[in-house]
Amino acid sequence: MTAKETAMSKGTISILGLGAMGSAIVDRLRESGYDTVVWNRTAAKAEPHVKAGSEHAATVAEAARAGDIVIAVLLDHASVREHLEPVATELKGKVVVNLTTTTPNESRATAAWAAEHGLSYLDGAIMATPPMIGRPGSSLLYSGDENAFAIAKLALETLGTADFEGADAGLASLKDMALLSAMYQMFTGFLQAAAMMRTVGVAAGRTAEDVIAWLSELIPHVGHFAAVIDGEDDDPALRQDVAFTRPAIASLITAAREQGVSSDFLEPLKKHLDELAATGRGDANWISVIDQFPINE
Ligand code: NDP
């Protein structure tokens, strides 16, 4: 924080929700020179913020009236709707930013509700942990009302990079969920490796070093997979077909079981490869399993 940043208020932002993330956001906005008004279901959590210079709103309506921008950082979609719906009148003319994690359709439903009430609504997704807020590496995604984004952008950029994904309010959430899906599958892969190696006394820390080294080399391959999926390129040097990959995955499953370790997280890939082989696609690139992902066809 610089003296210049605190010298003059840049406007008033109300924050609904003072959990770990809401608190980090208020701290950052306050140190960036914004007047902040805070509301939390459990009022005691407002105390440290009031001591640090925020104002406390006793009700959501009071917070909504006070802010030029109103940011919700609550638990889930239900808690957002529970607290925003009764204050639609007070939110009129404000920019409403929902940073609570919701699914794309939940985001779209809240955007539709906001549109019905003539509200400026921006849906956001936070690609950061609370300590990362306002620091390099913190990234936030937004979608919905582009004009609302333009108005709030300066304030939102104090939290991390602010990228507008498009007018469909579900887009920020969709990207968030897609990236988190990739993340959890990657971490689950590490857990599988650690579970296998600890059967012979290798500490998870040692396996972590090996996994980090191995995956760091391989992660650029997603670019090759993407080129195949997008129909742009299928470099034969990097290609592995179903007939090759299917027994390889079967061996991983057998090896896990031999060590007395569950193969539950590996089985779905084997199932999809079996389906490709059974439908005459043994010579297809193994990443053709992506063709089996759609469930509404
Ligand atoms: P916390 O569990 O720390 O805080 C939850 C907040 O939601 C509290 O302010 C809590 O109020 C409030 N809350 C819960 N239920 C209700 C309800 N029914 N009505 C009103 N308020 C309610 O969570 P975080 O602050 O970490 O997360 C907040 C949002 O940010 C979540 O959607 C989360 O997915 C998202 N997020 C969090 C990240 C993280 O690393 N923490 C990363 C990215 C996104 P009370 O104090 O009264 O219980």
Side-chain angles (χ1 to χ4, degrees):
M1 172 175 51
T2 65
K4 199 175 169 197
E5 274 182 313
T6 53
M8 189 194 309
S9 171
K10 298 168 175 170
T12 302
I13 303 183
S14 292
I15 298 92
L16 311 176
L18 295 172
M21 186 54 85
S23 288
I25 287 171
V26 180
D27 288 345
R28 179 62 190 149
L29 291 171
R30 210 172 38 233
E31 70 185 22
S32 302
Y34 290 91
D35 283 337
T36 52
V37 176
V38 296
W39 173 86
N40 194 60
R41 180 181 61 176
T42 307
K45 284 193 190 164
E47 281 168 23
H49 293 286
V50 171
K51 277 197 186 121
S54 294
E55 254 183 63
H56 180 229
T59 63
V60 177
E62 201 181 301
R65 274 192 295 273
D68 308 309
I69 298 171
V70 179
I71 300 180
V73 202
L74 299 173
L75 183 67
D76 56 9
H77 177 67
S79 53
V80 170
R81 296 301 291 270
E82 176 190 340
H83 293 285
L84 291 192
E85 280 179 17
V87 298
T89 308
E90 288 83 353
L91 289 172
K92 204 122 194 190
K94 316 291 170 123
V95 171
V96 181
V97 185
N98 182 19
L99 293 181
T100 309
T101 303
T102 56
T103 68
N105 277 352
E106 288 171 344
S107 302
R108 290 173 184 131
T110 305
W113 165 82
E116 263 172 44
H117 292 82
L119 306 179
S120 288
Y121 179 78
L122 200 55
D123 204 276
I126 307 169
M127 309 304 301
T129 58
M132 288 168 69
I133 292 297
R135 294 175 185 277
S138 171
S139 155
L140 288 87
L141 312 172
Y142 300 93
S143 53
D145 183 337
E146 192 163 9
N147 190 42
F149 179 69
I151 295 168
K153 193 165 181 250
L154 265 186
L156 298 176
E157 280 176 340
T158 67
L159 308 178
T161 57
D163 290 315
F164 186 71
E165 301 292 326
D168 169 357
L171 287 178
S173 161
L174 178 59
K175 190 163 171 181
D176 179 31
M177 300 278 151
L179 293 179
L180 291 177
S181 296
M183 182 192 81
Y184 276 111
Q185 302 243 40
M186 180 185 73
F187 288 152
T188 307
F190 163 67
L191 297 181
Q192 181 77 30
M196 289 173 77
M197 292 309 294
R198 75 175 178 181
T199 63
V200 291
V202 176
R206 178 61 211 275
T207 303
E209 287 170 20
D210 292 337
V211 166
I212 291 167
W214 174 234
L215 290 186
S216 299
E217 287 299 318
L218 290 181
I219 201 80
H221 282 224
V222 298
H224 164 66
F225 296 160
V228 176
I229 294 164
D230 292 340
E232 291 164 1
D233 186 29
D234 192 0
D235 182 348
L238 295 169
R239 189 178 199 277
Q240 289 184 343
D241 61 24
V242 171
F244 174 88
T245 307
R246 188 170 160 246
I249 302 300
S251 295
L252 303 185
I253 290 169
T254 304
R257 288 185 185 151
E258 282 175 1
Q259 294 303 123
V261 167
S262 165
S263 57
D264 284 358
F265 290 103
L266 292 164
E267 303 281 352
L269 178 54
K270 171 74 168 38
K271 179 178 145 277
H272 284 299
L273 291 167
D274 287 348
E275 279 169 25
L276 287 177
T279 52
R281 297 181 67 190
D283 61 353
N285 192 317
W286 79 269
I287 63 170
S288 303
V289 292
I290 195 171
D291 297 341
Q292 298 175 326
F293 278 39
I295 54 174
N296 290 323
E297 288 184 348

